[in-house]
Amino acid sequence: MVFDRQADAGTISDLLTERPHLEKRRVVSRRFAWGTVFVQSPANDGYLPHETPAGKFYFSIGRPILTGPASNAGSFLERVASEWNQDAAALWKGLSGVFVLGRCDETSLTVLTDPMGVRPAYVARNASGAVVAVGSHVPSLAVVAGLGSSFDLTSMAELLVFS
């Protein structure tokens, strides 16, 4: 999620698709008054972003599993949307796996992460300390924050693997 409406969508899409084995997965974006959400399409179509008629946009990163009885509500994110609107705390307790789930609309953004934080959502701040993005892909967050050349990629990889 990039909070700068002027952010270069092409650069972010390129950073996401230049990763090994992900070059063929398209990047879905959705603009809001506060910024833009970028989601790389998953391998399974059941996890594709979902937008409700009321304008709420749901997305998934990773592979969350919704425990409990299966419903006939449709795709995974359609089921998540239905349950999130009823009780977000109960939804979170009923999720398993490694994931970041998001829900946003014109006025708000809410992110749920897996209980163990295996798939974290990072917050990127620019040089003046303002929050400019939230996401799980560190290189694109660094570029949005104006810090794209500030990281040693080997050190960053070690940090992600060992921390």
Side-chain angles (χ1 to χ4, degrees), residues 66-82:
L66 193 54
T67 59
S71 73
N72 295 328
S75 74
F76 171 78
L77 284 172
E78 286 176 286
R79 290 176 51 212
V80 164
S82 173

Side-chain angles (χ1 to χ4, degrees), residues 52-74:
T52 67
K56 292 206 182 294
F57 183 77
Y58 293 83
F59 60 91
S60 170
I61 300 166
R63 294 209 175 143
I65 300 163
L66 193 54
T67 59
S71 73
N72 295 328

Side-chain angles (χ1 to χ4, degrees), residues 102-115:
R103 177 181 77 173
C104 43
D105 57 27
E106 286 298 329
T107 61
S108 67
L109 162 68
T110 305
V111 175
L112 300 177
T113 62
D114 64 86

Side-chain angles (χ1 to χ4, degrees), residues 1 38-39 59-64 98-102 119 135-136:
M1 288 76 51
F38 297 92
V39 180
F59 60 91
S60 170
I61 300 166
R63 294 209 175 143
V98 175
F99 62 87
V100 172
L101 280 177
R119 176 73 65 144
S136 64

Side-chain angles (χ1 to χ4, degrees), residues 21-161:
H21 310 293
L22 298 176
E23 58 276 340
K24 292 183 180 169
R25 293 193 191 168
R26 67 186 173 98
V27 175
V28 176
S29 64
R30 173 70 165 79
R31 285 195 180 272
F32 294 96
W34 48 263
T36 306
V37 176
F38 297 92
V39 180
Q40 191 158 25
S41 61
N44 181 330
D45 285 347
Y47 288 95
L48 285 172
H50 171 69
E51 189 162 4
T52 67
K56 292 206 182 294
F57 183 77
Y58 293 83
F59 60 91
S60 170
I61 300 166
R63 294 209 175 143
I65 300 163
L66 193 54
T67 59
S71 73
N72 295 328
S75 74
F76 171 78
L77 284 172
E78 286 176 286
R79 290 176 51 212
V80 164
S82 173
E83 293 195 24
W84 197 322
N85 290 332
Q86 293 172 19
D87 185 355
L91 167 66
W92 187 76
K93 289 177 185 174
L95 288 166
S96 181
V98 175
F99 62 87
V100 172
L101 280 177
R103 177 181 77 173
C104 43
D105 57 27
E106 286 298 329
T107 61
S108 67
L109 162 68
T110 305
V111 175
L112 300 177
T113 62
D114 64 86
M116 295 187 64
V118 174
R119 176 73 65 144
Y122 300 100
V123 176
R125 296 178 184 273
N126 63 15
S128 63
V131 174
V132 294
V134 173
S136 64
H137 184 244
V138 173
S140 60
L141 293 175
V143 167
V144 170
L147 303 170
S149 61
S150 299
F151 296 105
D152 167 35
L153 294 180
T154 303
S155 297
M156 182 62 67
E158 288 180 355
L159 173 69
L160 292 173
V161 169

